[in-house]
Amino acid sequence: MVDSISVKGIVLDTSLLKEYDKRLVILTAELGRITVFANGARKKNSQLTAVSQKFVMGTFKLHPCRTTYTLLGADIDETFIELSYDIEKMAYASYACELAGYFTQDGIGAKDELNLLYVTFKAILAERQSIGLIKTIFECKLLDVEGLGLEMTQCVKTGVETDLHHISLSDGGLVNDAAASKLKNTFVISDEAIYALRFILSRGIAAVYSFDISIDTYKEIERIITKYLELHVDRHFKSLDILKGVFF
């Protein structure tokens, strides 16, 4: 029996248990999304208190149980504590955690999802782009990581690479003018939106936030990705309620 293992991860969520314990959901590169119990983490002077906080990234030392893990300790890389200082940043980061958790599961490595979450936290804190655009980029890139990326280089019906002015979300990508005339579920997409989505899908995770776009183009791709995400997600995310309650 293995006494302990070490995994790289980010704490997606926490909940209180009994008087002194916590239940953690951690996204890990090696094991995917796992449930971890931090016994005594709420006790005064516990060595597990600092590492049992939401958004903390580090290397976690765990004792494997049947379907869960017990936290033995951790080496913290970053706490991302600044995300908790601003309710908007905290809500968007929490939403990113919820969505990443939705697409991952125990036993299946999630290195790309973990890296995407990390650069997303960094982008939120850097404030070089609007936080709404960061959300849309995250959703688009996460869908791509999960094998659900939109086809933005050619017509999904014919393979043609010209006259691409329409998109069909139910078919998963661009449709050329001739094919669009025979379909009922397409709508027009601008060249600027096509370019923006191509950029997101073609860049590596580390570079996915290295651009900015006009507000009109952002709003266009936001509508597209929101509708496309709804086709692949059947869960309501609590963090979005926080955003709607405060900012809408």
Side-chain angles (χ1 to χ4, degrees):
M1 181 177 179
V2 178
D3 290 330
S4 67
I5 58 173
S6 294
V7 295
K8 188 83 168 181
I10 290 176
V11 179
L12 301 181
D13 197 15
T14 69
S15 55
L16 305 182
L17 290 176
K18 300 181 181 178
E19 187 175 359
Y20 296 113
D21 305 338
K22 296 182 78 171
R23 176 184 178 273
L24 315 178
V25 178
I26 303 178
L27 181 64
T28 71
E30 300 87 352
L31 301 173
R33 185 194 72 235
I34 60 175
T35 299
V36 177
F37 292 98
N39 298 325
R42 298 164 62 202
K43 288 184 177 180
K44 185 177 180 180
N45 299 324
S46 171
Q47 294 182 346
L48 301 183
T49 300
V51 303
S52 302
Q53 307 299 319
K54 193 170 180 177
F55 308 137
V56 165
M57 181 177 187
T59 300
F60 298 84
K61 186 178 181 181
L62 310 172
H63 173 70
C65 302
R66 288 186 178 181
T67 58
T68 62
Y69 302 83
T70 299
L71 181 62
L72 302 177
D75 294 322
I76 297 176
D77 293 327
E78 296 194 48
T79 64
F80 289 108
I81 193 170
E82 298 93 338
L83 293 171
S84 301
Y85 296 161
D86 181 284
I87 190 170
E88 185 179 28
K89 291 177 182 177
M90 181 182 68
Y92 275 103
S94 296
Y95 169 68
C97 288
E98 283 192 86
L99 195 59
Y102 176 87
F103 280 109
T104 52
Q105 55 185 302
D106 191 356
I108 300 178
K111 181 179 179 181
D112 287 342
E113 291 90 343
L114 183 65
N115 288 337
L116 179 59
L117 195 60
Y118 170 74
V119 299
T120 300
F121 287 175
K122 286 288 192 181
I124 292 173
L125 292 174
E127 299 182 326
R128 284 191 289 268
Q129 297 156 304
S130 73
I131 201 164
L133 176 58
I134 292 170
K135 172 180 176 288
T136 296
I137 293 172
F138 174 78
E139 292 168 335
C140 182
K141 195 62 178 180
L142 182 61
L143 286 166
D144 186 43
V145 166
E146 301 305 327
L148 300 169
L150 287 165
E151 171 55 69
M152 299 301 296
T153 60
Q154 62 184 17
C155 174
V156 293
K157 291 295 187 181
T158 66
V160 172
E161 298 180 0
T162 57
D163 298 323
L164 300 173
H165 304 115
H166 297 78
I167 190 168
S168 169
L169 298 182
S170 59
D171 292 306
L174 292 175
V175 179
N176 77 326
D177 296 344
S181 66
K182 303 174 184 178
L183 299 174
K184 296 180 179 180
N185 58 344
T186 68
F187 55 91
V188 174
I189 180 172
S190 71
D191 290 341
E192 291 79 11
I194 292 174
Y195 177 82
L197 291 172
R198 282 176 176 173
F199 184 97
I200 297 167
L201 295 169
S202 64
R203 291 302 187 274
I205 290 172
V208 74
Y209 293 107
S210 60
F211 79 109
D212 205 352
I213 52 179
S214 70
I215 185 66
D216 289 340
T217 303
Y218 152 57
K219 288 296 184 182
E220 184 177 1
I221 68 169
E222 179 188 43
R223 289 192 295 269
I224 291 171
I225 296 302
T226 297
K227 291 179 181 178
Y228 188 56
L229 188 66
E230 289 173 352
L231 297 177
H232 298 285
V233 174
D234 59 1
R235 180 184 299 176
H236 178 74
F237 297 105
K238 295 182 293 182
S239 49
L240 293 182
D241 291 335
I242 297 174
L243 289 169
K244 291 177 182 177
V246 175
F247 299 103
F248 299 97

